[in-house]
Amino acid sequence: MTGRATLNPKRLRALNRAARGPGPVIYWMSRDQRAEDNWALLFAQEMALDARVPLCVLFVLDPAFPGGTRRSFGFLLRGLEETARTLREKGIPFFLLEGSPSEVVNAFAAKIRAGAVVTDFDPLRFKRAWKSRVAESLPCPLFEVDAHNIVPCWAASEKAEYGAYTLRPKMNRLLPVFLTDFTPVERHPFPWDGETPAVDFEGALLRVSPPGSVPEVKDAIPGTAAGMSLLREFLEKRLEAYATDRNDPNRNGASGLSPYFHFGQVSPQRAAWEASHAAVPEESRKAFVEELVVRRELSDNFCLYNPAYDRVDGFPAWARQTLEKHTGDPREALYTASQLENAQTGDPLWNAAQVQMATTGRMHGYLRMYWGKKILAWSPSAEEALAAAIALNDRYELDGRDPNGYTGAAWCIGGVHDRPWPERPVFGKIRTMTASGCRRKFDTEAFIRRFSPS
């Protein structure tokens, strides 16, 4: 069919060897929760069109999802509600089911006698475990498409990279191949033959996360429409000054798109494609592409190829050795998990950053680095520091439970993607950050006034 998007075969891999059946195609949506600019959905529709069969989208809501809170489930489900409406307009039914994904997907595929299942890529271990269990018992093919990274993670590199400096040249060679525009999803011409019950999104939210956990953020509007509106505003008004403004927490210089990327409500490839055509200074364009492409996809590389991405065992050998050597060093202070969570430290800047995260669901990227470094300074061991940083990040950040978060914590505490620095107490050869250094970068007092604990 003319005009249909062509999937680069390097984006695709088969997770089992089952034979294709004659039934409908299922797109098991997980990481990429959008109806447009989605290579996994486009490939699923291509398969369904070729076989002249119906296509549906299935999302499985796991109440036991690690780190899930009212905040994260709310953003997810309200975004999915918009995605479901868009899919219905395309003649593609959307099913929201609850339970263990590996069990639900297999049961649903058997019920509708699916001919094939397509899913999207995620490097995190529990998502990979879901797919492994589905692949083992699914009677039809299971295909995985990297719809999240601009350069497919397994195509960019076959190993864990040492840092951005080793991944960057590989990405630069491959970007001209993979950074393309998308073809819109077609209205599916083969109608669904069966029931398509209405989805109770509010009821699902109450079941998986009743009121009382971390509250939703009122001014964080979920969904593709809101994410695309933010992208357009950033490209038109703020990308021009990105190179100079992005590291100042008092300026609205960052894109603010990370929650929309995390939940897959906006495609990073769409953002990169539009930014590459924006009439802005080259310095700002390059700085944004560096963060959006190289740094973000380096995190997926780390989590895909390092099974200990959220443990000290995943740190480089030099970092483990230096941290072990300095475990017994006196700390300037030791804070409990409760004191950290409630911003009750002796550092006003750190407290303000923690308040920003707890109340807005976001923390400025520059401050995230300082925040993580100070947790190491205030913890009895690197193991406890890493656990505390991940727990707080996953609980409060809208983009928590993400490769970027795990990799960022590992950089702060364990020198991942960094190099040894001059040796100091507590940190050893791990890079340090100080409040005085922050004051040289931006007006820390102004930030503290905005977010100081009440």
Side-chain angles (χ1 to χ4, degrees):
M1 183 178 293
T2 58
R4 193 188 306 170
T6 300
L7 182 84
N8 188 309
K10 291 184 179 179
R11 284 197 182 277
L12 171 71
R13 58 184 181 182
L15 299 185
N16 64 6
R17 297 184 178 181
R20 173 80 183 270
V25 174
I26 300 171
Y27 168 32
W28 170 22
M29 177 182 282
S30 181
R31 192 185 192 191
D32 292 285
Q33 301 163 23
R34 59 187 181 275
E36 296 289 359
D37 298 341
N38 187 332
W39 289 117
L41 177 58
L42 287 167
F43 176 66
Q45 183 169 57
E46 184 174 1
M47 292 185 72
L49 290 172
D50 287 343
R52 304 179 66 82
V53 297
L55 167 67
C56 73
V57 173
L58 168 67
F59 191 94
V60 184
L61 193 62
D62 183 4
F65 190 83
T69 63
R70 178 83 174 188
R71 177 173 294 177
S72 57
F73 276 124
F75 203 91
L76 180 152
L77 284 164
R78 299 187 200 288
L80 280 178
E81 188 170 11
E82 178 189 327
T83 296
R85 287 195 301 268
T86 305
L87 289 166
R88 282 197 300 272
E89 293 168 0
K90 301 284 188 178
I92 303 170
F94 177 89
F95 295 88
L96 179 69
L97 301 179
E98 298 170 33
S100 169
S102 53
E103 296 174 5
V104 171
V105 172
N106 276 306
F108 184 78
K111 179 181 177 181
I112 69 167
R113 298 180 180 179
V117 178
V118 177
T119 193
D120 40 46
F121 166 73
D122 196 307
L124 299 184
R125 75 171 69 86
F126 55 90
K127 295 279 194 77
R128 295 168 70 185
W130 291 349
K131 294 171 192 175
S132 179
R133 289 193 291 269
V134 169
E136 287 174 0
S137 53
L138 196 68
C140 63
L142 176 62
F143 297 100
E144 182 179 48
V145 176
D146 191 343
H148 206 80
N149 292 298
I150 298 164
V151 177
C153 197
W154 50 75
S157 178
E158 296 179 349
K159 63 179 182 179
E161 293 293 331
Y162 290 107
Y165 72 98
T166 61
L167 181 63
R168 189 178 298 109
K170 297 179 180 181
M171 299 293 288
N172 288 340
R173 286 194 296 270
L174 292 169
L175 270 178
V177 176
F178 289 102
L179 182 54
T180 64
D181 201 353
F182 295 86
T183 296
V185 175
E186 300 180 24
R187 178 168 180 81
H188 202 70
F190 305 106
W192 188 257
D193 183 17
E195 290 187 53
T196 54
V199 179
D200 180 8
F201 288 94
E202 286 296 329
L205 180 56
L206 284 172
R207 286 189 295 276
V208 298
S209 184
S213 64
V214 181
E216 296 178 70
V217 180
K218 293 181 180 178
D219 61 354
I221 303 172
T224 297
M228 289 300 296
S229 177
L230 180 62
L231 172 61
R232 288 190 293 271
E233 184 270 335
F234 171 71
L235 294 174
E236 292 170 4
K237 299 180 180 179
R238 293 184 286 123
L239 177 59
E240 183 176 13
Y242 183 79
T244 55
D245 288 357
R246 63 191 172 99
N247 283 331
D248 188 337
N250 294 315
R251 297 186 182 184
N252 188 23
S255 73
L257 290 164
S258 59
Y260 300 96
F261 293 153
H262 167 71
F263 287 101
Q265 295 170 0
V266 172
S267 164
Q269 183 163 337
R270 169 58 63 194
W273 177 257
E274 299 297 336
S276 69
H277 293 84
V280 297
E282 187 68 14
E283 183 184 13
S284 285
R285 184 188 298 109
K286 286 183 175 180
F288 182 59
V289 170
E290 171 74 13
E291 295 296 328
L292 177 66
V293 182
V294 178
R295 300 286 176 171
R296 191 182 55 81
E297 300 197 9
L298 179 62
S299 296
D300 265 32
N301 170 274
F302 175 64
C303 291
L304 178 63
Y305 294 117
N306 189 329
Y309 57 77
D310 56 353
R311 302 194 303 272
V312 169
D313 291 348
F315 295 170
W318 67 264
R320 295 197 306 272
Q321 291 165 4
T322 196
L323 288 167
E324 176 66 26
K325 177 181 175 182
H326 289 272
T327 297
D329 290 0
R331 268 59 175 166
E332 63 183 62
L334 290 174
Y335 295 109
T336 65
S338 176
Q339 287 174 312
L340 292 173
E341 184 170 14
N342 291 294
Q344 296 172 340
T345 79
D347 183 333
L349 179 59
W350 193 96
N351 292 343
Q354 173 65 20
V355 169
Q356 182 187 37
M357 179 174 70
T359 57
T360 71
R362 306 180 188 199
M363 186 190 297
H364 189 277
Y366 185 83
L367 280 174
R368 276 206 210 194
M369 296 186 290
Y370 177 74
W371 176 87
K373 296 287 186 184
K374 294 302 291 186
I375 291 177
L376 174 58
W378 298 330
S379 299
S381 67
E383 287 82 1
E384 291 170 85
L386 184 64
I390 288 174
L392 289 172
N393 187 78
D394 286 0
R395 180 169 174 78
Y396 289 107
E397 287 279 5
L398 280 168
D399 64 357
R401 309 154 312 284
D402 189 275
N404 282 329
Y406 299 123
T407 307
W411 179 87
C412 288
I413 296 165
V416 168
H417 300 148
D418 206 353
R419 61 176 176 82
W421 288 71
E423 197 160 5
R424 296 188 178 188
V426 180
F427 284 82
K429 296 179 181 179
I430 302 294
R431 181 198 301 249
T432 62
M433 289 181 70
T434 63
S436 59
C438 291
R439 283 194 292 271
R440 290 192 292 271
K441 293 283 188 179
F442 65 96
D443 185 348
T444 57
E445 292 303 317
F447 183 83
I448 292 168
R449 286 193 296 271
R450 284 176 62 200
F451 292 106
S452 60
S454 56

Coordinates of all heavy atoms in Angstrom, one line a residue, residues 148-204:
H148 N 11.2 3.7 21.1 CA 11.5 4.7 22.0 C 12.8 5.4 21.7 O 12.8 6.7 21.8 CB 11.6 4.1 23.4 CG 11.3 5.0 24.6 ND1 10.1 5.4 25.0 CD2 12.2 5.7 25.4 CE1 10.1 6.2 26.0 NE2 11.4 6.5 26.2
N149 N 13.8 4.7 21.3 CA 15.1 5.3 20.9 C 15.1 5.7 19.5 O 14.5 5.0 18.6 CB 16.2 4.3 21.2 CG 16.4 4.1 22.7 OD1 16.7 5.0 23.5 ND2 16.1 2.8 23.1
I150 N 15.8 6.8 19.2 CA 15.9 7.2 17.8 C 16.8 6.2 17.0 O 16.4 5.7 15.9 CB 16.5 8.6 17.7 CG1 15.5 9.6 18.4 CG2 16.7 9.0 16.3 CD1 16.1 10.9 18.8
V151 N 17.9 5.8 17.6 CA 18.7 4.7 17.0 C 18.4 3.5 17.9 O 18.6 3.6 19.1 CB 20.2 5.0 17.1 CG1 21.0 3.8 16.6 CG2 20.5 6.3 16.2
P152 N 17.9 2.4 17.4 CA 17.5 1.3 18.2 C 18.7 0.9 19.1 O 19.8 0.9 18.7 CB 17.2 0.2 17.2 CG 16.9 0.9 15.9 CD 17.6 2.2 15.9
C153 N 18.3 0.6 20.4 CA 19.4 0.4 21.4 C 20.4 -0.7 21.0 O 21.6 -0.5 21.1 CB 18.7 0.0 22.7 SG 19.8 0.2 24.1
W154 N 19.9 -1.8 20.4 CA 20.8 -2.9 20.1 C 21.5 -2.6 18.8 O 22.5 -3.3 18.5 CB 20.0 -4.2 19.9 CG 18.7 -4.1 19.1 CD1 18.7 -4.0 17.7 CD2 17.4 -4.0 19.5 NE1 17.4 -3.9 17.3 CE2 16.5 -3.9 18.4 CE3 16.8 -4.1 20.8 CZ2 15.2 -3.9 18.5 CZ3 15.4 -4.0 20.9 CH2 14.6 -3.9 19.7
A155 N 21.0 -1.7 18.0 CA 21.8 -1.3 16.8 C 22.8 -0.2 17.1 O 23.9 -0.2 16.4 CB 20.8 -0.7 15.7
A156 N 22.6 0.6 18.1 CA 23.6 1.6 18.4 C 24.9 1.0 18.9 O 26.0 1.5 18.6 CB 23.0 2.6 19.4
S157 N 24.7 -0.1 19.7 CA 25.9 -0.7 20.3 C 25.5 -2.1 20.8 O 24.4 -2.3 21.2 CB 26.5 0.1 21.5 OG 27.6 -0.5 22.1
E158 N 26.5 -3.0 20.7 CA 26.3 -4.4 21.2 C 26.9 -4.6 22.6 O 27.0 -5.7 23.0 CB 26.9 -5.3 20.2 CG 26.3 -5.3 18.8 CD 26.9 -6.3 17.9 OE1 28.0 -6.8 18.2 OE2 26.3 -6.5 16.8
K159 N 27.3 -3.5 23.2 CA 27.9 -3.6 24.6 C 27.6 -2.4 25.4 O 27.2 -1.4 24.9 CB 29.4 -3.8 24.4 CG 30.1 -2.6 23.8 CD 31.6 -2.8 23.7 CE 32.3 -1.5 23.1 NZ 33.7 -1.7 23.0
A160 N 27.9 -2.5 26.7 CA 27.8 -1.3 27.6 C 28.9 -0.3 27.2 O 30.1 -0.7 27.2 CB 27.9 -1.7 29.0
E161 N 28.5 0.9 26.9 CA 29.5 1.9 26.6 C 30.1 2.6 27.8 O 29.5 2.7 28.9 CB 28.8 3.0 25.7 CG 28.3 2.5 24.4 CD 29.5 2.1 23.4 OE1 30.6 2.7 23.6 OE2 29.3 1.3 22.6
Y162 N 31.4 3.0 27.7 CA 32.1 3.6 28.8 C 31.5 5.0 29.1 O 31.5 5.4 30.3 CB 33.6 3.7 28.5 CG 34.3 2.4 28.4 CD1 34.7 1.9 27.2 CD2 34.6 1.7 29.6 CE1 35.4 0.7 27.2 CE2 35.2 0.5 29.6 CZ 35.6 0.0 28.4 OH 36.3 -1.2 28.3
G163 N 31.0 5.7 28.1 CA 30.5 7.0 28.4 C 29.9 7.6 27.1 O 30.0 7.0 26.0
A164 N 29.5 8.8 27.2 CA 29.0 9.5 26.0 C 30.0 9.6 24.9 O 29.7 9.6 23.7 CB 28.4 10.9 26.4
Y165 N 31.3 9.8 25.3 CA 32.3 10.0 24.3 C 32.5 8.7 23.4 O 33.0 8.8 22.3 CB 33.6 10.4 25.0 CG 34.3 9.3 25.8 CD1 35.4 8.5 25.2 CD2 33.9 8.9 27.1 CE1 36.0 7.5 25.9 CE2 34.6 7.9 27.8 CZ 35.6 7.2 27.2 OH 36.2 6.2 27.9
T166 N 32.2 7.5 23.9 CA 32.3 6.3 23.1 C 31.0 6.1 22.3 O 31.0 5.5 21.2 CB 32.6 5.1 23.9 OG1 31.6 4.8 24.9 CG2 33.9 5.3 24.6
L167 N 29.8 6.5 22.9 CA 28.6 6.2 22.1 C 28.4 7.3 21.1 O 27.8 7.0 20.0 CB 27.4 6.2 23.1 CG 26.0 6.0 22.5 CD1 26.0 4.6 21.9 CD2 24.9 6.2 23.5
R168 N 28.8 8.5 21.3 CA 28.5 9.6 20.4 C 28.9 9.4 19.0 O 28.1 9.6 18.1 CB 29.1 10.9 21.0 CG 28.7 12.2 20.2 CD 29.3 13.4 20.8 NE 29.0 13.6 22.2 CZ 29.8 13.4 23.3 NH1 31.1 13.1 23.1 NH2 29.4 13.6 24.5
P169 N 30.1 8.9 18.7 CA 30.4 8.7 17.3 C 29.6 7.7 16.6 O 29.3 7.8 15.4 CB 31.9 8.3 17.3 CG 32.2 8.0 18.7 CD 31.3 8.7 19.6
K170 N 29.2 6.7 17.4 CA 28.3 5.6 16.8 C 27.0 6.2 16.5 O 26.4 5.9 15.4 CB 28.2 4.5 17.8 CG 29.5 3.7 18.1 CD 29.3 2.6 19.1 CE 30.6 1.9 19.4 NZ 30.5 0.8 20.4
M171 N 26.4 7.0 17.4 CA 25.1 7.7 17.1 C 25.2 8.6 15.9 O 24.3 8.6 15.1 CB 24.7 8.4 18.4 CG 24.5 7.6 19.6 SD 23.1 6.4 19.5 CE 21.8 7.5 19.6
N172 N 26.3 9.4 15.8 CA 26.4 10.3 14.7 C 26.4 9.6 13.4 O 25.9 10.1 12.4 CB 27.6 11.2 14.9 CG 27.5 12.2 16.1 OD1 26.4 12.5 16.5 ND2 28.6 12.7 16.6
R173 N 27.0 8.4 13.3 CA 27.0 7.7 12.1 C 25.6 7.1 11.7 O 25.3 7.0 10.5 CB 28.0 6.5 12.2 CG 29.5 6.9 12.1 CD 30.4 5.7 11.9 NE 30.3 4.7 12.9 CZ 31.1 4.8 14.0 NH1 32.0 5.7 14.1 NH2 31.0 3.8 14.9
L174 N 24.9 6.8 12.7 CA 23.6 6.1 12.5 C 22.4 7.1 12.4 O 21.3 6.7 11.9 CB 23.3 5.1 13.6 CG 24.3 3.9 13.6 CD1 24.2 3.0 14.8 CD2 24.0 3.0 12.3
L175 N 22.5 8.3 13.0 CA 21.4 9.2 13.0 C 20.8 9.5 11.6 O 19.6 9.5 11.4 CB 21.8 10.5 13.7 CG 21.5 10.6 15.2 CD1 22.0 11.9 15.8 CD2 20.1 10.3 15.5
P176 N 21.7 9.7 10.6 CA 21.1 9.9 9.3 C 20.2 8.8 8.7 O 19.3 9.0 7.9 CB 22.3 10.2 8.4 CG 23.4 10.6 9.3 CD 23.1 9.8 10.6
V177 N 20.5 7.6 9.2 CA 19.7 6.4 8.8 C 18.4 6.4 9.5 O 17.3 6.1 8.9 CB 20.5 5.1 9.0 CG1 19.6 3.9 8.7 CG2 21.8 5.1 8.2
F178 N 18.4 6.6 10.8 CA 17.2 6.4 11.6 C 16.4 7.6 12.0 O 15.2 7.5 12.3 CB 17.6 5.7 13.0 CG 18.1 4.3 12.8 CD1 19.4 4.0 12.8 CD2 17.1 3.3 12.6 CE1 19.8 2.7 12.6 CE2 17.5 2.0 12.4 CZ 18.9 1.7 12.4
L179 N 17.0 8.8 11.9 CA 16.2 10.0 12.2 C 15.4 10.5 11.0 O 15.9 11.2 10.1 CB 17.1 11.2 12.7 CG 16.4 12.5 13.1 CD1 15.4 12.2 14.1 CD2 17.5 13.5 13.6
T180 N 14.2 10.0 10.9 CA 13.3 10.3 9.8 C 11.9 10.8 10.4 O 11.7 10.7 11.6 CB 13.0 9.1 9.0 OG1 12.3 8.1 9.8 CG2 14.3 8.5 8.4
D181 N 11.1 11.3 9.5 CA 9.7 11.6 9.9 C 8.9 10.3 9.9 O 9.3 9.2 9.5 CB 9.1 12.6 8.9 CG 7.9 13.4 9.4 OD1 7.5 13.0 10.6 OD2 7.5 14.3 8.8
F182 N 7.7 10.4 10.4 CA 6.8 9.3 10.5 C 5.6 9.4 9.5 O 5.2 10.5 9.1 CB 6.1 9.2 11.9 CG 7.0 8.9 13.0 CD1 7.7 10.0 13.6 CD2 7.3 7.6 13.5 CE1 8.6 9.7 14.7 CE2 8.1 7.4 14.5 CZ 8.8 8.4 15.1
T183 N 5.0 8.3 9.1 CA 3.8 8.2 8.3 C 2.7 8.1 9.4 O 2.8 7.3 10.3 CB 3.7 7.1 7.4 OG1 4.8 7.2 6.4 CG2 2.4 7.0 6.7
P184 N 1.6 8.8 9.2 CA 0.5 8.7 10.2 C -0.1 7.3 10.2 O -0.1 6.6 9.2 CB -0.6 9.7 9.7 CG 0.2 10.7 8.9 CD 1.3 9.9 8.2
V185 N -0.7 6.9 11.3 CA -1.4 5.6 11.4 C -2.7 5.8 10.5 O -3.4 6.8 10.5 CB -1.8 5.3 12.8 CG1 -2.7 4.1 12.9 CG2 -0.6 5.1 13.7
E186 N -3.0 4.8 9.7 CA -4.2 4.8 8.9 C -5.4 4.4 9.7 O -5.3 3.8 10.7 CB -4.0 3.8 7.7 CG -2.9 4.0 6.8 CD -2.8 2.9 5.7 OE1 -3.9 2.3 5.4 OE2 -1.7 2.7 5.2
R187 N -6.6 4.8 9.1 CA -7.8 4.3 9.7 C -7.9 2.8 9.3 O -7.8 2.5 8.1 CB -9.0 5.0 9.2 CG -10.3 4.4 9.7 CD -11.6 5.3 9.5 NE -12.7 4.6 10.0 CZ -13.1 4.6 11.3 NH1 -12.3 5.3 12.2 NH2 -14.1 3.9 11.7
H188 N -8.0 1.9 10.3 CA -7.8 0.5 10.0 C -9.1 0.0 9.2 O -10.2 0.1 9.8 CB -7.6 -0.3 11.2 CG -6.9 -1.6 11.0 ND1 -5.6 -1.7 10.5 CD2 -7.4 -2.9 11.0 CE1 -5.3 -3.0 10.3 NE2 -6.4 -3.7 10.6
P189 N -8.9 -0.6 8.1 CA -10.1 -1.0 7.3 C -10.8 -2.3 7.6 O -11.8 -2.6 7.1 CB -9.5 -1.0 5.8 CG -8.1 -1.4 6.0 CD -7.7 -0.8 7.3
F190 N -10.2 -3.1 8.5 CA -10.7 -4.4 8.8 C -11.3 -4.3 10.3 O -10.5 -4.3 11.2 CB -9.6 -5.4 8.7 CG -9.0 -5.5 7.3 CD1 -7.7 -5.0 7.1 CD2 -9.7 -5.9 6.2 CE1 -7.1 -5.0 5.9 CE2 -9.1 -5.9 5.0 CZ -7.9 -5.4 4.8
P191 N -12.6 -4.2 10.4 CA -13.2 -3.9 11.7 C -13.1 -5.1 12.7 O -12.9 -6.2 12.3 CB -14.7 -3.7 11.4 CG -14.9 -4.4 10.1 CD -13.6 -4.3 9.3
W192 N -13.1 -4.7 14.0 CA -13.0 -5.7 15.0 C -14.3 -6.5 15.1 O -15.4 -5.9 15.1 CB -12.7 -4.9 16.4 CG -12.4 -5.9 17.5 CD1 -13.3 -6.2 18.5 CD2 -11.2 -6.5 17.7 NE1 -12.6 -7.1 19.4 CE2 -11.4 -7.3 18.9 CE3 -10.0 -6.5 17.1 CZ2 -10.3 -8.1 19.5 CZ3 -8.9 -7.3 17.6 CH2 -9.1 -8.1 18.8
D193 N -14.1 -7.8 15.2 CA -15.3 -8.7 15.3 C -15.4 -9.2 16.7 O -14.9 -10.2 17.0 CB -15.1 -9.8 14.3 CG -16.3 -10.7 14.3 OD1 -17.4 -10.3 14.7 OD2 -16.2 -11.9 13.8
G194 N -16.1 -8.5 17.5 CA -16.2 -8.9 18.9 C -16.5 -7.7 19.8 O -16.7 -6.6 19.3
E195 N -16.7 -8.0 21.1 CA -17.0 -6.9 22.0 C -15.8 -6.0 22.2 O -14.6 -6.4 22.3 CB -17.4 -7.5 23.4 CG -18.7 -8.2 23.4 CD -19.1 -8.6 24.8 OE1 -19.1 -7.8 25.7 OE2 -19.4 -9.8 25.0
T196 N -16.1 -4.7 22.4 CA -15.1 -3.7 22.8 C -15.6 -2.9 23.9 O -16.1 -1.8 23.7 CB -14.7 -2.8 21.6 OG1 -15.9 -2.2 21.1 CG2 -14.0 -3.6 20.5
P197 N -15.6 -3.4 25.1 CA -16.2 -2.7 26.2 C -15.5 -1.4 26.5 O -14.3 -1.2 26.3 CB -16.0 -3.7 27.4 CG -14.8 -4.6 27.0 CD -14.9 -4.7 25.5
A198 N -16.4 -0.5 27.1 CA -15.8 0.8 27.4 C -14.8 0.7 28.6 O -15.0 -0.2 29.4 CB -17.0 1.8 27.9
V199 N -13.8 1.5 28.6 CA -12.8 1.4 29.6 C -13.1 2.4 30.7 O -13.3 3.6 30.5 CB -11.4 1.7 29.0 CG1 -10.3 1.6 30.1 CG2 -11.1 0.7 27.9
D200 N -13.1 2.0 32.0 CA -13.3 2.8 33.1 C -11.9 3.2 33.7 O -11.4 2.6 34.6 CB -14.1 2.1 34.2 CG -14.4 2.9 35.4 OD1 -14.0 4.1 35.4 OD2 -14.9 2.4 36.4
F201 N -11.4 4.3 33.2 CA -10.0 4.7 33.6 C -10.0 5.2 35.0 O -9.1 4.9 35.7 CB -9.5 5.8 32.6 CG -9.2 5.4 31.3 CD1 -10.1 5.4 30.2 CD2 -7.9 4.8 31.0 CE1 -9.8 5.0 29.0 CE2 -7.6 4.4 29.7 CZ -8.5 4.4 28.7
E202 N -11.0 5.9 35.5 CA -11.1 6.4 36.8 C -11.2 5.2 37.8 O -10.5 5.2 38.9 CB -12.2 7.4 37.1 CG -12.0 8.8 36.4 CD -10.8 9.5 37.1 OE1 -10.5 9.3 38.3 OE2 -10.2 10.3 36.4
G203 N -12.0 4.2 37.5 CA -12.1 3.1 38.3 C -10.8 2.3 38.4 O -10.4 1.8 39.5
A204 N -10.1 2.2 37.3 CA -8.8 1.5 37.3 C -7.8 2.3 38.1 O -7.0 1.6 38.9 CB -8.3 1.5 35.8

